[in-house]
Amino acid sequence: MKMYPRPEYDPQWSAEQQVAFAQLLRKDYATFVRFFWHVVEPKPLVWNWHIDVICEHLAALHQGTLPAAEGSTEPFANKLYIAIAPGCAKSSLTSVFYDAWKWLDDPGQRCLAASHDLPLVIRDNVKCRRIVESEAYGQTLQLLAVLGLQPWTMARDQNQKQYFENTRAGFRQCTTVGSGGTGKRGDSLVIDDPLKILDLIHASAQRQTELLLEVQSWYTDVFASRLNDLATGKQVLIMQRIHEDDLVGFLSKDPSWHGLVLPMQYDPEIADPDDPRTEPGEPLFPAKFPADVLERQKRTMTPGQWSAQYLQRPIPTTGGLLKADWFKRRYKYVAGHYSDNRFLPQMRRLVVSFDCANKARKLNDPTVAMLLGEDAQGTLYLLDIRRERYEYADLEFHAPKWIADWKPHHILIEDAANGTALLSKLQRTGFKPVGIVPHQDKHVRMSNQTPWCSAGQLLLPDDGCPWLPDFLFEALKFPQVKHDDQVDALSQALAWFTDNPIGTRGTYAFSTPQGVTVQDEQGKPTSLQPQNALEGSINAQTLADAQLKDLQSQVARLMRRSPAP
């Protein structure tokens, strides 16, 4: 584990060099943190790029240069929220070092700090005071006095754990979320983890809603009003996400807030522009949380908890077009190939649905291959998902491997973008894919297939499935979601099952080990088609012929029943 050394300071420096170093501490927050870390933390500092990014954002907020969020009418933002997993120095950076650093520049700054737990917020208040009272900090103030900054000290009559002042009228006071107010006003507000996670996890759905609303009301009705200047006062919120309607979710709708989201594993869909990672799943803090440690931690949590607290993507609890209650029926997930899962029934049909992206860029939807199975009763099972950002050459290489691994009976590919090229490639190499040309927008296509979900006829795996959180996040937020590739693949597959029911005369009959039979109106087999898409499948023309024959039969029956004119 790489330790980051303290910035070098040599007592033998000339007076000018010492003053220059003090000025560096005053101007550069990251250097200040590194230099004073030993004052409050016994273990050596483990540095990482995310600490630099957080320090830069906090410094820009203090200096009035933090860019405003998209949609804001102001050029710069006075409010900053940071979503980051636990264990990444979030409290130290916002509640311990930050105000001590600001006092080097403006000792008259007044801060009100809040958290869900009083002992925790007092702990950080005491650490901040310890920095200010340290010998190194006092020497820094003396050196800055050479530049004309008036020296100051701690106020002896106002020096408590919850509240302390300096002789320039600056102060720091801590309180708890939900309290009735401090009676004081500040130039800045800091909120660190406003809600206790266990309280939310163990609460009923109704109580969860109440807890979230209580925090929102406390912020809007009490805490936000404690600024000396509502127009220019600074606000910081730092927390791990715990729910889609937590305080970050609530405030992120306001364009006056600048957001910094740092998931523990890289997610290009929500990546901050300052995030240097490029590979999906890349750890945020590998020196402290390498991939194997994260995997062990993930196994101790539910997908919802992991997605919210560590990936900063809380799964919606209700849903948008698709409702969470529709997916309560689950099958037991077993790691490995779906065919090895003894808890699954035998599948009479397997369908893979491709939704192919245009490019592999971060802003584009990924390419998705989704495998669905149908049991003897017609219930569908979402069995597997492959989701990658591939250029076409990579997709052309991997798609046949996925198909060979899954052995589906039918292959569906949206006939657009790279899907058109993939159709041609698979057809030339012996596969029989069906090209699907969508004629309606995404929302309508998914809306048409919601009866499968609302009736509980689409079963998802249980919480042990690694790809489930990403699927649920997208499905339950649709259509208000940045990427909808999985929803597109799903609606395409469900539409195919809707149009190709087994057991309906004139279309498909129950599949046999030899293949799928097509029946006439009397229920007699008229043809036998191979069942495996590797050898051939019922193509679009066969389907069209069967559907036309069925329609002709219905018309003939109606004519026989009609009275003569």
Side-chain angles (χ1 to χ4, degrees):
M1 185 175 291
K2 182 180 178 181
M3 306 300 178
Y4 201 100
R6 289 180 66 202
E8 294 184 4
Y9 174 80
D10 188 349
Q12 303 303 318
W13 280 346
S14 67
E16 290 183 354
Q17 288 174 316
Q18 293 185 44
V19 170
F21 184 74
Q23 181 73 334
L24 176 64
L25 293 176
R26 175 177 171 240
K27 293 296 184 182
D28 189 80
Y29 183 38
T31 301
F32 179 90
V33 171
R34 291 195 293 265
F35 187 71
F36 285 98
W37 183 267
H38 75 286
V39 175
V40 292
E41 298 296 341
K43 294 183 179 180
L45 172 61
V46 181
W47 199 259
N48 191 55
W49 64 264
H50 81 276
I51 302 178
D52 274 317
V53 171
I54 293 175
C55 287
E56 290 169 2
H57 278 70
L58 290 171
L61 178 69
H62 170 65
Q63 294 160 357
T65 59
L66 183 66
E70 184 178 353
S72 174
T73 58
E74 302 295 332
F76 301 106
N78 291 327
K79 306 171 186 177
L80 169 66
Y81 70 78
I82 304 172
I84 189 170
C88 297
K90 62 185 181 65
S91 296
S92 295
L93 295 175
T94 55
S95 299
V96 176
F97 293 92
Y98 192 42
D99 284 299
W101 174 72
K102 290 194 298 181
W103 277 2
L104 290 182
D105 184 58
D106 183 3
Q109 279 284 311
R110 299 177 171 187
C111 176
L112 302 177
S115 182
H116 71 274
D117 185 69
L118 185 59
L120 291 179
V121 75
I122 289 177
R123 176 204 66 186
D124 293 337
N125 220 42
V126 169
K127 287 183 177 182
C128 181
R129 186 182 66 177
R130 191 177 302 156
I131 294 172
V132 175
E133 292 179 333
S134 68
E135 181 181 358
Y137 194 91
Q139 292 173 348
T140 303
L141 289 177
Q142 293 175 8
L143 291 169
L144 291 175
V146 176
L147 300 176
L149 298 176
Q150 184 179 344
W152 53 269
T153 61
M154 292 291 288
R156 294 182 179 180
D157 59 340
Q158 296 292 344
N159 192 358
Q160 304 164 4
K161 290 183 177 181
Q162 285 188 245
Y163 176 84
F164 56 85
E165 286 187 17
N166 62 41
T167 55
R168 295 287 299 278
F171 68 73
R172 194 175 198 278
Q173 180 170 12
C174 61
T175 186
T176 54
V177 172
S179 63
T182 67
K184 295 184 179 295
R185 292 182 178 274
D187 302 304
S188 63
L189 307 176
V190 174
I191 306 172
D192 181 2
D193 278 337
L195 188 59
K196 188 175 181 180
I197 294 174
L198 289 179
D199 288 349
L200 197 72
I201 290 175
H202 297 311
S204 64
Q206 179 177 349
R207 181 56 184 153
Q208 285 184 353
T209 300
E210 293 172 351
L211 288 170
L212 295 165
L213 290 176
E214 287 170 6
V215 171
Q216 295 174 13
S217 298
W218 167 83
Y219 169 76
T220 56
D221 300 341
V222 178
F223 202 58
S225 66
R226 304 316 299 168
L227 285 169
N228 283 320
D229 190 325
L230 297 178
T232 62
K234 308 297 174 63
Q235 300 185 51
V236 177
L237 166 64
I238 191 165
M239 62 179 288
Q240 53 185 306
R241 296 300 306 272
I242 52 178
H243 191 279
E244 63 174 331
D245 293 324
D246 58 23
L247 198 53
V248 163
F250 175 65
L251 296 177
S252 63
K253 301 179 179 70
D254 182 351
S256 66
W257 282 83
H258 180 110
L260 173 62
V261 180
L262 298 169
M264 187 61 89
Q265 293 178 319
Y266 181 62
D267 182 350
E269 295 184 15
I270 59 174
D272 189 87
D274 291 322
D275 194 325
R277 293 174 289 177
T278 57
E279 294 298 322
E282 188 176 344
L284 171 74
F285 199 172
K288 190 175 180 181
F289 300 104
D292 60 327
V293 171
L294 292 179
E295 188 60 33
R296 288 198 300 270
Q297 178 65 26
K298 182 178 180 180
R299 289 197 293 266
T300 69
M301 308 174 73
T302 68
Q305 293 167 1
W306 172 258
S307 185
Q309 294 172 237
Y310 280 77
L311 303 185
Q312 310 311 311
R313 291 194 356 165
I315 296 173
T317 54
T318 54
L321 176 65
L322 302 174
K323 309 302 180 185
D325 286 345
W326 296 350
F327 301 110
K328 287 186 175 180
R329 290 185 66 195
R330 303 288 184 88
Y331 67 85
K332 184 173 179 57
Y333 174 79
V334 175
H337 199 273
Y338 74 89
S339 62
D340 297 327
N341 188 345
R342 62 186 178 87
F343 299 100
L344 283 171
Q346 185 175 1
M347 300 296 162
R348 65 184 183 184
R349 284 190 295 183
L350 292 168
V351 170
V352 60
S353 177
F354 280 89
D355 183 76
C356 301
N358 289 310
K359 297 286 184 181
R361 294 191 299 264
K362 291 181 182 179
L363 296 179
N364 291 97
D365 282 351
T367 288
V368 166
M370 179 179 290
L371 180 68
L372 284 88
E374 179 188 45
D375 69 13
Q377 284 71 46
T379 300
L380 303 183
Y381 297 75
L382 185 54
L383 299 175
D384 204 354
I385 295 177
R386 307 285 171 88
R387 187 170 185 254
E388 302 287 349
R389 280 183 166 80
Y390 281 152
E391 294 291 350
Y392 176 71
D394 297 318
L395 175 61
E396 185 180 277
F397 174 78
H398 287 282
K401 292 181 177 294
W402 296 341
I403 296 170
D405 180 46
W406 284 336
K407 296 180 175 58
H409 303 119
H410 307 286
I411 305 168
L412 314 177
I413 302 177
E414 183 177 345
D415 193 355
N418 283 338
T420 302
L422 183 61
L423 270 168
S424 177
K425 171 65 177 180
L426 292 178
Q427 288 167 348
R428 292 196 307 271
T429 53
F431 295 98
K432 301 295 182 180
V434 176
I436 306 295
V437 179
H439 297 291
Q440 297 170 309
D441 64 48
K442 298 171 183 284
H443 188 278
V444 173
R445 297 201 301 268
M446 189 66 249
S447 296
N448 290 341
Q449 304 308 321
T450 53
W452 284 103
C453 308
S454 60
Q457 289 298 103
L458 174 64
L459 271 63
L460 307 184
D462 61 25
D463 288 347
C465 177
W467 46 260
L468 181 66
D470 279 346
F471 172 79
L472 285 177
F473 178 83
E474 178 182 316
L476 297 182
K477 287 186 74 71
F478 181 82
Q480 305 299 324
V481 65
K482 185 176 181 180
H483 296 291
D484 50 19
D485 44 280
Q486 295 177 94
V487 172
D488 284 350
L490 178 63
S491 65
Q492 179 172 267
L494 295 179
W496 188 90
F497 278 108
T498 298
D499 293 338
N500 299 278
I502 281 180
T504 300
R505 292 178 177 181
T507 55
Y508 293 105
F510 190 87
S511 63
T512 68
Q514 291 76 34
V516 178
T517 60
V518 179
Q519 296 178 331
D520 61 16
E521 62 270 20
Q522 283 79 38
K524 297 179 180 179
T526 60
S527 63
L528 178 68
Q529 300 291 339
Q531 194 176 30
N532 196 316
L534 295 170
E535 303 167 0
S537 66
I538 298 178
N539 58 28
Q541 187 58 50
T542 303
L543 172 62
D545 292 344
Q547 290 176 327
L548 177 60
K549 188 173 183 180
D550 182 49
L551 179 61
Q552 291 171 337
S553 299
Q554 293 179 39
V555 171
R557 286 198 300 272
L558 289 173
M559 292 181 67
R560 286 197 296 269
R561 294 174 184 173
S562 301

